[in-house]
Amino acid sequence: MKSGYKLSLLIVPMVVLSSFTTAQGQDISFDRAKWIWHPAVSGETDGNYHAGVRYFRTDISIPESPTLSAAELIISCDNLFVLYVNGKPVAESGTEGNDWQSPKRFDLTSLLSPGRAVIAVEAFNTLDGPSGLLVKLVTRLEDGKEKSLRSDGRWKSSNIAVKNWEQSNFDDQQWSAAKELGAYGIAPWNQLNIPDTATPARKAAGKVHELVADLVSTSAAQTVVTQDPSDDFAWPEGIVFVGDDCSLYRPPGNTGDSAMDSLSVTIFNPRKSRSYPEHDLPAPMKVGRKLMVLRPGQNKGEPTVLFDTGEGALGSPTVSYDGEWIIFSMVAEGDSFFNLYKIAATGGELTRLSEGPFFDIEPAELPDGRIVFVSTRMGTFEEYHSPPARALYVMNADGTDIKPITNTIIFDNEPEVMADGRILFIRSDNFFDRGKVETLLHAVMPDGTSGYTEFGLDNGPEYGGRLRANYCGSPTPMPDGRVAFVSSAGITLGRAGHTQQHLQHLPLEAGDVAALPDGRLLCTVARTVGKSIEYDNINVLDPDSDGDLLYDGTE
């Protein structure tokens, strides 16, 4: 039961009703209808759900004979909804948080014709707590017979927005069965007063979508709910990260220093995150002086220094599959180039893996023990700002037999191994004939063949908003095949090949993101220090719980 708004965008399942309605003005009730919702995800319990949106759908069959004489639908949703018939929005709820107390009654007679029809409901819940959808469709035929369809567990539901979900040709076989919460009349909704007459369903005014969009833009930070870890919380064995940040950031305005002011056209790093909109500097996006390790339950929960570069800098640490080694990129004190090194997870002496007048950055171990990394070894220069171009290379575990596997005139960045064995990385692509770039997530086989753009290809052709604005960074393949990455929306999740409509967004002010073996995500989030933002909170979240933070710690 809601009277205010707290934003956590969840996707409410569409409710498709197959039901028959009474003639206009006759009595109609929710008798035998069930309150339904999408089954609880991690962090939810039945009857206590996260704020957000769910989708429901089903279909009905309208006979040719006898013909349809009347069709009415009554609906209540805690707490907002948009109703679709055959893919078109035809009605919506009010925009007040307690409008569920006043069910809507719509005349669908003119919208239903003989044959199969799909009725879908996009249901919004604007506050954590009870959530539910209640629908009944009643039709009357010319011979006087009535049939009704009620919301129940036979309807399909989803918590992920996918393209064309409201259309009649959409395949919902992979959707979940809706969860029955109880019969009409249960608490907290109890009995409801149904309008005496129906309103013709024509076209939704768009006020609900407008309201939700405003909530997303103004209250995104409120979508994350912090909570203490449970007694059986599975802590990561250890977390390695970069400390003592010395990354290069764009100044907020002109400084009079031509070299520093040139950053306004060469690096665009919103909210100081590991994101690559256009980045001409051949270095890890985030660098620091120290390699840190945090071992939960040890050292009183405080991180310790594994390696200190002094006046040097290091970045892009990665852990070997066996957990024994940490591989990272470092420009040692007195050196001029980033090269690759490794150190035992317990500390000790460094082993140098690469050298020479090249920038070797962002390593990742391959399943066969080799290391894929980014390098300027190709010897060419991006044509617009003339920084050294970067491509993917592989080497043996001891640094020998270095070979290229990609070739580009701009930049390939941050390779990571996907669940299917391919290498996912950020590719800056050329367009408009000169070095105007867009950042996409690309994937290749370990030998560099069969390359595909897996995320971002459908962003649209416009210059302006997409260029440097829809950045992506910190690509994170997950054990279940999904991919998470830092984006303009916060943290974005999806499967290879998903279009923009299929992606799930967690509106977190995240600096980076990494995957844990159990499917949770590890990320850093911001805190405000004076007028600046620092990313020093390490968080574990469940990606299926719309961004709930399960652990909130600090460096």
Side-chain angles (χ1 to χ4, degrees):
M1 299 171 64
K2 319 330 187 249
S3 58
Y5 296 110
K6 175 182 179 183
L7 176 70
S8 253
L9 201 59
L10 205 92
I11 295 170
V12 172
M14 309 190 322
V15 171
V16 174
L17 302 168
S18 294
S19 170
F20 295 83
T21 189
T22 64
Q24 175 70 282
Q26 288 191 322
D27 290 339
I28 186 172
S29 75
F30 285 115
D31 180 46
R32 297 171 61 191
K34 304 291 180 61
W35 283 95
I36 61 173
W37 202 247
H38 185 67
V41 298
S42 179
E44 297 181 336
T45 58
D46 291 339
N48 189 7
Y49 299 94
H50 298 310
V53 189
R54 301 287 183 205
Y55 302 91
F56 298 87
R57 60 172 288 135
T58 193
D59 58 12
I60 64 173
S61 180
I62 305 298
E64 290 189 7
S65 179
T67 59
L68 179 72
S69 64
E72 288 186 18
L73 181 143
I74 52 177
I75 178 172
S76 175
C77 180
D78 189 352
N79 47 328
L80 307 174
F81 70 84
V82 177
L83 174 68
Y84 298 82
V85 174
N86 291 330
K88 297 180 179 180
V90 298
E92 63 183 356
S93 66
T95 56
E96 296 298 325
N98 60 356
D99 275 351
W100 62 267
Q101 298 177 357
S102 302
K104 300 294 184 180
R105 181 174 179 176
F106 299 110
D107 183 357
L108 305 186
T109 308
S110 63
L111 302 178
L112 300 179
S113 56
R116 180 176 177 265
V118 168
I119 298 174
V121 178
E122 186 179 12
F124 302 85
N125 185 35
T126 56
L127 282 176
D128 286 356
S131 309
L133 178 65
L134 183 70
V135 186
K136 186 174 182 179
L137 175 64
V138 180
T139 64
R140 169 173 285 188
L141 304 179
E142 288 292 349
D143 63 1
K145 292 182 179 179
E146 292 183 359
K147 292 185 179 180
S148 62
L149 180 67
R150 308 163 188 87
S151 49
D152 59 24
R154 291 173 291 182
W155 297 345
K156 294 295 186 70
S157 69
S158 175
N159 63 343
I160 298 175
V162 293
K163 188 176 182 180
N164 297 325
W165 62 267
E166 71 279 22
Q167 301 297 321
S168 58
N169 61 354
F170 178 79
D171 183 1
D172 60 12
Q173 294 302 305
Q174 301 303 313
W175 280 26
S176 302
K179 171 68 177 180
E180 291 187 2
L181 304 178
Y184 169 63
I186 64 168
W189 304 288
N190 303 317
Q191 299 294 317
L192 302 173
N193 294 320
I194 299 171
D196 293 333
T197 58
T199 300
R202 296 187 180 95
K203 182 178 181 180
K207 293 182 179 180
V208 169
H209 282 157
E210 182 179 350
L211 170 67
V212 174
D214 287 343
L215 288 172
V216 171
S217 63
T218 61
S219 307
Q222 299 182 33
T223 62
V224 178
V225 179
T226 59
Q227 63 186 48
D228 293 329
S230 61
D231 293 338
D232 60 350
F233 182 84
W235 299 87
E237 181 177 337
I239 301 167
V240 175
F241 60 96
V242 173
D244 195 6
D245 186 10
C246 60
S247 305
L248 181 61
Y249 297 110
R250 184 180 75 175
N254 291 333
T255 65
D257 183 328
S258 59
M260 183 62 71
D261 291 343
S262 70
L263 291 177
S264 65
V265 296
T266 61
I267 180 172
F268 301 84
N269 192 354
R271 67 172 188 265
K272 297 185 178 181
S273 68
R274 273 179 57 198
S275 55
Y276 285 80
E278 181 180 348
H279 184 199
D280 294 347
L281 307 177
M285 177 59 81
K286 299 285 286 184
V287 295
R289 305 291 186 192
K290 299 173 182 177
L291 185 65
M292 311 291 293
V293 60
L294 174 65
R295 301 182 188 278
Q298 299 182 24
N299 197 35
K300 297 181 180 180
E302 294 294 327
T304 58
V305 178
L306 197 64
F307 183 79
D308 190 334
T309 68
E311 293 301 313
L314 58 83
S316 53
T318 185
V319 180
S320 62
Y321 286 110
D322 61 11
E324 298 295 324
W325 295 94
I326 299 166
I327 310 166
F328 59 96
S329 179
M330 180 178 72
V331 54
E333 185 174 343
D335 283 355
S336 300
F337 296 91
F338 278 91
N339 291 128
L340 300 185
Y341 296 79
K342 71 176 183 178
I343 187 173
T346 54
E349 296 296 321
L350 295 184
T351 300
R352 186 165 186 159
L353 298 177
S354 72
E355 57 185 338
F358 318 104
F359 291 98
D360 299 327
I361 60 177
E362 297 166 355
E365 188 181 35
L366 296 174
D368 62 6
R370 293 182 301 158
I371 297 170
V372 60
F373 64 100
V374 172
S375 181
T376 60
R377 293 168 180 265
M378 63 191 307
T380 60
F381 294 84
E382 185 269 319
E383 62 181 346
Y384 194 52
H385 299 134
S386 297
R390 301 192 290 273
L392 299 189
Y393 284 72
V394 293
M395 62 164 62
N396 292 332
D398 61 0
T400 60
D401 196 21
I402 297 177
K403 298 177 180 178
I405 60 170
T406 67
N407 183 18
T408 177
I409 63 174
I410 312 184
F411 317 122
D412 289 343
N413 290 301
E414 294 203 63
E416 297 287 349
V417 179
M418 299 176 67
D420 63 10
R422 291 184 298 160
I423 299 171
L424 182 75
F425 60 96
I426 301 169
R427 166 156 286 182
S428 298
D429 270 355
N430 234 12
F431 70 105
F432 286 177
D433 296 325
R434 300 184 69 188
K436 306 295 184 182
V437 300
E438 59 188 4
T439 55
L440 309 169
L441 285 177
H442 202 72
V444 296
M445 299 295 289
D447 61 0
T449 61
S450 303
Y452 294 94
T453 297
E454 297 291 3
F455 298 94
L457 195 60
D458 62 331
N459 278 339
E462 73 278 1
Y463 182 70
R466 178 168 55 130
L467 179 69
R468 307 182 180 99
N470 289 337
Y471 52 87
C472 57
S474 192
T476 303
M478 299 172 65
D480 64 2
R482 288 182 296 172
V483 172
F485 55 92
V486 173
S487 70
S488 57
I491 295 178
T492 294
L493 296 97
R495 295 189 180 276
H498 270 185
T499 61
Q500 296 298 309
Q501 296 91 338
H502 295 168
L503 299 179
Q504 176 187 3
H505 303 292
L506 305 179
L508 298 166
E509 290 293 308
D512 63 2
V513 61
L516 296 176
D518 62 4
R520 290 174 299 167
L521 297 174
L522 184 72
C523 67
T524 56
V525 295
R527 70 172 182 176
T528 301
V529 180
K531 294 184 178 180
S532 65
I533 294 177
E534 296 183 359
Y535 284 89
D536 67 352
N537 290 337
I538 298 175
N539 300 272
V540 180
L541 63 90
D542 187 332
D544 295 319
S545 66
D546 300 293
D548 286 3
L549 302 185
L550 302 181
Y551 164 63
D552 185 358
T554 56
E555 283 188 355

